[in-house]
Amino acid sequence: MATSDTETSRPKAALLVGALGVVYGDIGTSPLYTIKVALTGVGHPDVEHVLGMLSILFWMLVLVASVKYVICILSADNRGEGGTLALMELAMRGRTEKVRWRLILLGLIGASLFYGDSMITPAISVLSAVEGIGVVSHGLDAWVVPVATAVLVALFMVQSRGTGTVGRLFGPVMLLWFLVLGVLGAWRIIEEPRVLQAINPWWAIHFIVDAPLETFLALGALVLALTGTEALYADMGHFGRSTIRRAWFAAVFPALVLCYFGQGALLLTDPSSIRNPFFLLAPDWGLVPLVALATAATVIASQSVISGAFSMTRQAVQLGYWPRMVIQHTSAREEGQIYLPRVNWLLMGAVLVLIIAFGSSDRLAHAYGFAVTGTMLMTSVLAFAVLPRGSRGGKRIAWLALITVFLVMDVLLFASNTLKIHEGGWLPLVVGIVLLTLMMTWKQGRQQVHDTLAGDHQSLASFMESLEAYPPTRVPGTAVFMSMIVGTVPPALLHNLKHNKILHEQALFLTIEVADEPYVPFDERLKVERVSRSSWQAVARWGFKQEPNVPQVVGQIGQEVPELNLEPMQTSYFLLRQTIIVVRRLPWHKSWKRHLFALMARNASRSTRFYRIPPNRVVEMGMQMEL
């Protein structure tokens, strides 16, 4: 799906409003907690602290969010698509095998930390919104955790129904949210206009020079203002580069700056408002409606990262970094609206544990920054391998210099958050290590299985020619054999001949490949060639954001090869079901990966469901493979 196709298929105004709901939900709710967390340890912040922190925050939004992501990173698109895995695939093109594995490791680290973000975002966002009831009345403080839990349980329970209907409300609600942020901030700025001095970078420089250690520690909290910047890149394929940029500069960036400066103005007037500077922006009569609107906005932000986790998992499955999983489509028209039951329930369990264990948005903030800055750092490193490519002379030098600046900033932000590992940052670190281990184990295990099968391969053409010369018993119909390696005899055929001693009148050998691009056009998906008088070899390619549909491609083959009988009732599918057995007696530290891979293989979704093959037309041939 090219960016231009996306942008011309819907009115620009609708795209802009939609982008506010889907792309900017996470970063749009960061004013709920950023200033509060950054200045809580100061006590009653003075003018130096308020203006210094605000100045650093403002220039972080300018340099990291606006320049790095909105202007530069959005330029590194993979056929109109963005995101960590898309950038990784783009960086790997034309690289040597050694460099490819290094890039894979970086991409998977970023993807693993993204799941930590997906766990923490719903918890911290909804908690920070519901904590507003404590501003209404301290007697309601005890209800914060139960109410936040109920809201999130309801959100996860409705995931299987799809987000299409609710999604249409996301944009207008977030548009109202950003308008309210801007209006409340502007009102407080008018009351205390000296806060606008923070736009001058001198305040940031002065604060850094006077208190370098305090500034370094404060970066771990101020980075919360950048949460959700990865969504700018990941959602590029849905809305297009120019739409995301217009929405940022026309609505999101001004509203965020006004809100942050409004909170700063309030703190200059009343330092005691540090207990919750966001909700205290509102007049007394507007506090309850603001809590309700904030809760709705945080639910939208949570929905965005939940949907992002579904999409990321599907890409990981397609690219071979995760076992097959059940993927349900919740819309007949939108391919991107999917639901993964296992991911949904695991995320819900993790989010509820976080809410109950941490209990407040302030405590969760320490864990949040580590996941965000880790993902940002991986994106910058991968961008270093992509953006300068193809440039020459001064343009290449300019790209390298600019990305180096981004890397320095990201390293500082990440280093600041590593100091908070013991306060909660250990959580996304542990999650990231576990998921990275699982993904690398699955990728390496599948490669080992592929190499084992390839080492024992026979030439498909010569084997089928020998069967034509000395045919076994033929039965009516067509057999479709799913083959992992093109041009080789699939084990399912050998098992069928060995045990059933028959061969169908016609045979089709079908190999599914995943391209290193997000979408493969329908007319470029298929390649078919004749192997023998009664057999054909077909290779079907899908993009990593598409899902294979074997009956659909078989129908397409039937149109291209009329003499091949692929009528549904005359066609049988032969699949190999591998059972991985670890039999070699090795020390634990050498065999644990094999046992882990075998466990993941046993829990993978059945290939019939994944490839959408009618189960009543499938013959599965069992095969044990020893590792």
Side-chain angles (χ1 to χ4, degrees), residues 304-317:
S304 298
V305 295
I306 293 169
S307 300
F310 292 162
S311 180
M312 178 76 77
T313 304
R314 179 174 68 171
Q315 290 184 39
V317 170

Side-chain angles (χ1 to χ4, degrees), residues 399-412:
W399 270 123
L400 292 173
L402 191 59
I403 299 174
T404 300
V405 172
F406 296 152
L407 279 171
V408 170
M409 290 191 298
D410 287 338
V411 168
L412 286 173

Side-chain angles (χ1 to χ4, degrees), residues 77-78 81-95 100 103-104 106-108 233 315-316 318-321 382 385-386 389 443 514-518 543-545:
D77 66 294
N78 189 340
E81 291 291 328
T84 303
L85 293 181
L87 185 61
M88 179 189 74
E89 288 294 314
L90 194 61
M92 287 165 54
R93 292 179 187 172
R95 306 287 185 177
R100 285 172 63 88
L103 294 171
I104 286 173
L106 293 173
L108 294 186
Y233 184 44
Q315 290 184 39
Q318 295 293 76
L319 291 170
Y321 298 108
L382 290 172
V386 172
R389 189 187 291 184
K443 182 68 173 179
V514 178
D516 61 353
E517 54 193 69
F544 60 77
K545 294 197 76 173

Side-chain angles (χ1 to χ4, degrees), residues 535-552:
S535 62
W536 289 260
Q537 168 82 68
V539 178
R541 297 172 69 248
W542 270 270
F544 60 77
K545 294 197 76 173
Q546 297 172 302
E547 290 178 44
N549 187 323
V550 168
Q552 181 189 75

Side-chain angles (χ1 to χ4, degrees), residues 135-159:
V135 180
V136 177
S137 172
H138 288 297
L140 299 174
D141 285 339
W143 287 93
V144 169
V145 171
V147 171
T149 301
V151 169
L152 285 168
V153 167
L155 176 62
F156 281 101
M157 292 293 288
V158 301
Q159 292 301 308

Side-chain angles (χ1 to χ4, degrees), residues 256-306:
L256 291 178
V257 171
L258 287 172
C259 186
Y260 285 126
F261 275 66
Q263 292 182 55
L266 178 64
L267 290 171
L268 291 177
T269 305
D270 179 15
S272 65
S273 61
I274 189 61
R275 66 185 187 276
N276 204 317
F278 175 79
F279 284 107
L280 292 174
L281 284 177
D284 293 340
W285 58 266
L287 191 53
V288 173
L290 183 59
V291 172
L293 180 60
T295 303
T298 54
V299 167
I300 292 172
S302 303
Q303 176 63 64
S304 298
V305 295
I306 293 169

